[in-house]
Amino acid sequence: MVRRITVETRGKGLHDITDQVQAVVDLAATTEGLCTVFVQHTSASIVIQENTDPAVRRDLESWMSRLVRDGDPLFTHTDEGPDDMPSHIRSVLTATSVGIPVVAGRLGLGTWQAVYLWEHRNGARSRSVLVSIS
């Protein structure tokens, strides 16, 4: 079973999509298997990260912004602005998909884990994410 979910982002940062992904697992009525989450964009990522302290997400974003700076004069791919090429690099450094075991009908995440779409662009975007249950 594969379902598409849409994630409306507010710009750069980690957006929690755990509940949306779990809803697809619930719909599949699968007690055990594998849930694959895949973002259909080259300027966003899917990551599993801490779900309790928002400082973790802020620190990750700050670190990534220092590592790959918007407007770096080395970049020639700037068709959509100074965050265009940096967003592609950030997605390469992270991941476009994750696999999560399904155990007893629930995502097999640890206590402090959540699934996030990491938006690498400055402006708000509508992102398509495929969730596959096997």
Side-chain angles (χ1 to χ4, degrees):
M1 169 182 180
V2 178
R3 291 290 185 266
R4 180 185 322 275
I5 60 175
T6 301
V7 181
E8 302 297 333
T9 71
R10 300 169 303 282
K12 281 185 183 176
L14 288 97
H15 305 274
D16 189 342
I17 62 170
T18 309
D19 290 343
Q20 290 171 277
V21 174
Q22 181 61 53
V24 176
V25 173
D26 294 344
L27 186 63
T30 300
T31 57
E32 59 182 48
L34 180 65
C35 174
T36 302
V37 183
F38 174 78
V39 63
Q40 293 187 293
H41 302 276
T42 60
S43 55
S45 303
I46 298 292
V47 298
I48 295 175
Q49 197 43 252
E50 150 118 25
N51 66 0
T52 303
D53 186 354
V56 171
R57 295 184 297 279
R58 286 191 306 270
D59 288 348
L60 284 168
E61 184 58 44
S62 294
W63 178 83
M64 185 65 84
S65 292
R66 281 192 315 271
L67 182 66
V68 185
R69 295 190 183 278
D70 288 349
D72 188 318
L74 282 173
F75 302 143
T76 58
H77 178 71
T78 57
D79 296 346
E80 296 178 46
D83 67 339
D84 196 356
M85 189 62 211
S87 68
H88 295 296
I89 293 171
R90 291 174 185 139
S91 73
V92 167
L93 293 174
T94 51
T96 55
S97 67
V98 296
I100 308 160
V102 175
V103 181
R106 305 290 306 164
L107 292 169
L109 296 169
T111 302
W112 311 112
Q113 291 181 318
V115 183
Y116 292 93
L117 181 135
W118 193 347
E119 177 62 66
H120 300 303
R121 299 301 305 265
N122 288 324
R125 297 278 193 276
S126 181
R127 299 300 195 173
S128 293
V129 175
L130 296 179
V131 180
S132 174
I133 311 299
S134 54

